[in-house]
């Protein structure tokens, strides 16, 4: 089976790393030079993946250009932000217009109302507030669930990432040794920054397992404020929920007086105009957005039912931030939602996604690589495991080496994917063409042939 010959695979990785390093000399030079002012030589730890950080010069349409002058089809999409592509004329016009009129007042501007109404229409939740990142959105959601219930604990899924605030820096990518029993996972802090009493307030369950959630709700009666979940998991490849799971989860939580938050920071606006909420027909009590919503500007939003958001309106909870509703971001959001991410955009994502799915599954079939392709409109991934992955423990069995070598081959042959191999997936933009996505398939075919050589 292709990919099983470890010697061949290691050789291929070593060859591709050499090509990578030869192509990215300027990136490496800058990184070394700046390490005295930027810790680790990057602006965020996630920008530094093996074999090295790639410094970008600019983007145009569906392409990015690195500081060595190399042109790539961009399927990284800035970790899922880039659904509008680079320098989309509608975003450029909206932001240019706004920049001339002043970019910050810390007072509301009318674009916020346009965006809130459009999000209410798409996601079916009536009330919205804004912030500046996915992290702030999930933090606001957890504050709201705690305030609304007066309860301290939350439930989160093992292997899910919801940003870098303390309550969710638990069991993100725990090691197999630390993770504990499958049905009753340990709450494993990320690093050493989160104090133990906070870690203990976050209870961890496997994805897709209703019984585990019910057990927590019964055993910790009146302790659980609610559950935060990425309704389609997108930080351990791409895992859709089992049929009925999301609806049953909502019923179960409500029966125990707890709330349901969908973290749609990655999925919202990517899998359907109204995210997984539309895709599944299940309405959460709270919904977190960020990433693609801002058309490339820093952004975040939280939507909720009148009941839960009423805690903000009544002043029982301060949902605040100097940059909340920033006019520049709001102008970009209006353009993104009303001019760019139209129903036609999703029809085209589906068409391009199908070319990717058919092409990659064709290579898998011809070469016997253990894997499968998942496509959900603007997002997709090849997962390197024979059987479909359903939860974090199965994700641990996905081949790191195959994911890494594909990342290298794609990069060296002109397709820039999000680093961190098996955890990530691709992002399409409205500016991608058939030629762009066929380049990905051709590169994958090249890899398949190299693995069966
Ligand atoms: C599902 C999910 N939630 C929250 C976040 C945090 O978003 P941000 O990096 O904007 O704080 C991320 C970031 O990748 C994410 O994938």
């Amino acid at each position: 089976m292709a990919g099983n010959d470890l010697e061949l695979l290691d050789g291929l990785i070593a060859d591709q790393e050499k090509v990578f390093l030869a192509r990215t000399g300027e990136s490496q030079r800058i990184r070394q030079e700046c390490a005295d002012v930027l810790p680790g030589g990057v602006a965020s730890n996630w920008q530094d993946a093996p074999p090295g950080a790639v410094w970008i010069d600019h983007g145009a349409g569906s392409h990015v250009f690195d500081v060595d002058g190399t042109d790539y089809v961009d399927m990284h999409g800035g970790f899922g932000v880039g659904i509008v592509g680079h320098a989309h004329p509608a975003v450029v016009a909206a932001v240019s217009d706004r920049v001339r009129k002043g970019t910050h007042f810390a007072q509301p501007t009318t674009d916020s109302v346009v965006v809130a109404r459009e999000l209410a229409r798409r996601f079916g939740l009536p009330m919205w507030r804004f912030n500046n990142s996915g992290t702030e959105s999930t933090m606001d959601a957890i504050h709201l669930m705690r305030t609304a219930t007066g309860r301290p604990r939350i439930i989160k899924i093992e292997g899910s990432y919801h940003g870098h605030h303390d309550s969710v820096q638990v069991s993100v990518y725990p090691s197999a040794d630390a993770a504990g029993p499958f049905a009753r996972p340990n709450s494993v802090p990320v690093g050493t920054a989160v104090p133990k009493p906070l870690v203990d307030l976050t209870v961890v369950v496997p994805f897709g397992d209703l019984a585990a959630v019910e057990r927590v709700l019964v055993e910790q009666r009146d302790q659980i404020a609610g559950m935060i979940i990425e309704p389609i998991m997108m930080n351990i490849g791409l895992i859709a929920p089992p049929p009925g799971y999301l609806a049953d989860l909502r019923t179960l939580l409500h029966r125990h007086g707890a709330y349901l938050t969908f973290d749609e920071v990655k999925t919202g606006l990517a899998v359907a105009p109204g995210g997984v909420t539309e895709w599944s027909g299940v309405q959460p009590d709270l919904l977190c957005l960020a990433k693609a919503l801002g058309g490339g500007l820093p952004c975040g939003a939280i939507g909720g039912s009148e009941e839960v958001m009423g805690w903000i309106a009544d002043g029982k909870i301060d949902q605040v931030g100097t940059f909340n509703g920033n006019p520049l971001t709001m102008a970009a959001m209006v353009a993104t939602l009303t001019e760019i991410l139209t129903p036609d955009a999703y029809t085209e994502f589906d068409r391009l996604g199908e070319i990717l799915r058919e092409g990659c599954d064709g290579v898998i079939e011809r070469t016997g690589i253990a894997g499968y392709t998942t496509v959900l409109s603007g997002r997709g991934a090849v997962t390197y495991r024979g059987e479909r992955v359903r939860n974090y423990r199965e994700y641990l069995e996905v081949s790191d080496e195959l994911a890494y070598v594909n990342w290298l081959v794609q990069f060296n042959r002109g397709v820039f994917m999000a680093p961190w191999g098996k955890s990530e997936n691709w992002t399409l933009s409205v500016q991608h063409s058939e030629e762009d996505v066929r380049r990905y398939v051709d590169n994958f075919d090249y890899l398949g042939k190299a693995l069966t050589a």
Side-chain angles (χ1 to χ4, degrees):
M1 185 179 284
N4 271 3
D5 182 341
L6 291 185
E7 215 172 299
L8 180 70
L9 191 51
D10 285 348
L12 199 53
I13 288 174
D15 290 347
Q16 292 293 326
E17 282 179 333
K18 268 189 219 133
V19 178
F20 174 98
L21 293 172
R23 284 164 66 98
T24 57
E26 185 59 6
S27 278
Q28 293 160 54
R29 189 194 65 72
I30 298 175
R31 187 208 163 146
Q32 263 169 15
E33 263 192 13
C34 74
D36 58 335
V37 283
L38 287 180
V42 283
S44 158
N45 281 28
W46 287 355
Q47 293 170 6
D48 181 26
V54 180
W55 289 66
I56 300 298
D57 183 68
H58 68 283
S62 59
H63 286 231
V64 282
F65 299 78
D66 71 11
V67 289
D68 284 272
T70 312
D71 173 356
Y72 304 87
V73 172
D74 182 10
M75 290 174 68
H76 179 322
F79 286 131
V81 167
I83 299 185
V84 301
H86 300 289
H88 190 288
V91 172
V92 172
V95 169
S96 308
D97 181 52
R98 183 70 249 179
V99 98
R100 289 193 200 93
K101 296 177 181 161
T103 57
H104 186 71
F105 314 111
Q107 287 298 125
T109 55
T110 52
D111 278 349
S112 314
V113 185
V114 177
V115 175
R117 289 206 191 287
E118 176 59 12
L119 294 178
R121 188 189 70 77
R122 285 184 184 232
F123 291 90
L125 285 165
M127 303 191 87
W128 292 81
R129 272 285 178 96
F130 301 103
N131 45 43
N132 307 287
S133 67
T135 295
E136 288 183 38
S137 295
T138 61
M139 186 179 68
D140 284 346
I142 289 167
H143 288 166
L144 273 163
M145 293 195 294
R146 285 183 170 144
T147 303
T149 57
R151 300 175 180 177
R153 289 171 195 263
I154 57 154
I155 302 176
K156 111 174 240 302
I157 297 288
E158 187 173 50
S160 68
Y161 179 72
H162 300 290
H164 59 277
H165 60 94
D166 291 350
S167 295
V168 291
Q169 281 283 286
V170 177
S171 297
V172 177
Y173 296 111
S175 70
D177 289 346
F182 169 76
R184 287 177 183 266
N186 297 334
S187 294
V188 184
V190 176
T192 51
V194 188
K196 172 99 172 48
L198 285 181
V199 175
D200 292 343
L201 295 180
T202 300
V203 186
V204 178
V205 295
F207 190 65
D209 188 343
L210 274 179
V213 177
E214 185 156 30
R215 190 166 47 240
V216 172
L217 290 165
V218 170
E219 287 177 359
Q220 308 200 25
R221 193 171 292 283
D222 299 335
Q223 291 293 302
I224 304 294
M227 175 162 175
I228 185 161
I229 182 170
E230 231 197 327
I232 292 175
M233 293 192 79
M234 280 205 183
N235 284 299
I236 53 170
L238 220 164
I239 309 179
Y245 171 64
L246 297 174
D248 291 348
L249 205 51
R250 181 187 139 104
T251 308
L252 182 60
L253 288 160
H254 286 184
R255 199 186 312 138
H256 288 264
Y259 289 101
L260 175 64
T261 294
F262 279 179
D263 176 352
E264 293 224 46
V265 165
K266 266 191 166 168
T267 57
L269 305 172
V271 301
V276 185
T277 303
E278 175 187 330
W279 179 86
S280 66
V282 177
Q283 189 93 78
D285 301 296
L286 285 161
L287 193 145
C288 304
L289 291 176
K291 296 213 188 240
L293 177 61
L297 273 75
C299 68
I302 178 157
S305 60
E306 273 159 20
E307 184 210 350
V308 183
M309 297 302 263
W311 290 85
I312 298 176
D314 292 349
K316 303 252 172 32
I317 176 170
D318 271 346
Q319 192 276 339
V320 294
T322 301
F323 282 104
N324 287 10
N326 172 261
L328 201 60
T329 299
M330 288 297 142
M333 280 187 192
V334 172
T336 299
L337 290 171
T338 63
E339 293 180 58
I340 306 174
L341 296 180
T342 60
D344 286 352
Y346 294 88
T347 308
E348 182 63 0
F349 287 152
D350 291 343
R351 188 181 77 83
L352 296 181
E354 186 51 25
I355 292 171
L356 282 157
R357 195 200 57 72
E358 206 184 0
C360 293
D361 276 347
V363 172
I364 288 168
E365 220 165 275
R366 283 196 299 281
T367 59
I369 292 173
Y372 59 89
T373 312
T374 309
V375 167
L376 287 155
S377 205
R379 304 297 297 246
V382 175
T383 302
Y384 300 94
R385 183 176 184 265
E387 305 277 306
R388 208 159 262 278
V389 173
R390 293 168 299 177
N391 53 52
Y392 178 69
R393 301 298 168 100
E394 292 181 356
Y395 161 82
L396 289 173
E397 294 167 5
V398 176
S399 166
D400 288 296
E401 291 79 10
L402 282 173
Y404 181 49
V405 78
N406 179 50
W407 188 88
L408 287 167
V409 165
Q410 293 291 348
F411 183 86
N412 291 337
R413 298 171 63 86
V415 177
F416 200 165
M417 294 286 296
W420 302 111
K422 70 181 189 179
S423 65
E424 276 298 332
N425 33 66
W426 64 65
T427 300
L428 298 181
S429 85
V430 294
Q431 301 195 66
H432 276 79
S433 65
E434 194 168 320
E435 194 188 332
D436 288 334
V437 301
R438 289 210 185 276
R439 191 187 291 187
Y440 185 98
V441 175
D442 288 349
N443 292 347
F444 193 55
D445 186 51
Y446 171 92
L447 172 64
K449 287 183 178 134
L451 287 170
T452 43

